[in-house]
């Protein structure tokens, strides 16, 4: 299904949310979050898209490759680790967001940044679900 053609109002609304969520966030951090959520959600289209964007934003191959095992890697900053932990907790929401994960993120991000980060995580999860549900694969429009 070409979701943007079949449901253009919904697609444009998600695009608008995506644009608003990105405001004020570091481009590399933004892509790390989107890649990690896409790994969890097994969205091949979004993985392809965001790994390419991460490289364009200056991300290294080594950090992209180690992202699936970020907890065991020494390549990520404390701020990035807090964002990735929050990404996993929000993406796997039935487990809830543990207090320590939220508190660590709140220490690393000011309140506006944290709100933007949460919005970004919500948005990438919407894209993942849209693309997985409609069987969108890399290389398709």
């Amino acid at each position: 299904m070409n979701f943007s053609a079949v449901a253009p109002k919904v697609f444009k609304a998600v695009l608008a949310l995506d644009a608003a969520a990105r405001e004020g966030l570091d481009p590399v951090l933004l892509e790390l979050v989107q890649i990690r959520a896409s790994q969890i959600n097994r969205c091949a289209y979004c993985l392809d898209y965001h790994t390419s964007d991460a490289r364009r934003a200056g991300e290294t191959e080594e950090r992209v490759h180690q992202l699936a095992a970020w907890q065991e890697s020494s390549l990520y900053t404390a701020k990035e680790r807090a964002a990735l932990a929050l990404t996993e907790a929000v993406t796997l929401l039935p487990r809830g967001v543990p207090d320590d994960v939220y508190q660590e993120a709140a220490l690393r991000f000011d309140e506006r940044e944290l709100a933007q980060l949460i919005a970004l995580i919500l948005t990438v999860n919407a894209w993942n679900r849209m693309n997985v549900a409609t069987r969108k694969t890399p290389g398709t429009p």
Side-chain angles (χ1 to χ4, degrees):
M1 174 190 299
N2 183 344
F3 197 91
S4 62
V6 178
K9 283 185 176 181
V10 175
F11 189 80
K12 287 178 185 174
V14 178
L15 277 176
L17 176 61
D18 187 89
R22 292 168 175 265
E23 289 180 14
L25 291 176
D26 173 71
V28 171
L29 176 74
L30 187 144
E31 295 304 337
L32 291 175
V33 165
Q34 294 183 113
I35 293 167
R36 185 64 192 127
S38 299
Q39 288 173 335
I40 293 166
N41 290 323
R42 301 171 59 165
C43 182
Y45 181 86
C46 292
L47 281 168
D48 182 64
Y49 188 92
H50 293 297
T51 55
S52 295
D53 281 357
R55 289 179 186 105
R56 279 193 291 279
E59 189 52 88
T60 67
E61 291 295 317
E62 187 177 27
R63 283 172 36 104
V64 170
H65 289 299
Q66 290 188 27
L67 192 53
W70 66 269
Q71 291 112 331
E72 288 77 32
S73 175
S74 62
L75 298 180
Y76 305 98
T77 67
K79 189 171 187 174
E80 291 166 340
R81 296 172 79 73
L84 294 168
L86 186 63
T87 299
E88 290 186 2
V90 173
T91 300
L92 301 168
L93 199 52
R95 296 182 190 166
V97 177
D99 290 342
D100 63 323
V101 169
Y102 186 87
Q103 289 167 354
E104 183 67 20
L107 283 173
R108 306 289 175 187
F109 295 87
D110 66 35
E111 193 172 42
R112 183 179 188 287
E113 284 179 312
L114 185 55
Q116 292 299 123
L117 178 59
I118 291 168
L120 178 70
I121 297 165
L122 299 172
T123 305
V124 70
N125 274 280
W127 286 124
N128 290 163
R129 283 154 175 76
M130 185 184 310
N131 291 328
V132 169
T134 62
R135 310 295 195 266
K136 190 163 183 161
T137 58
T140 59

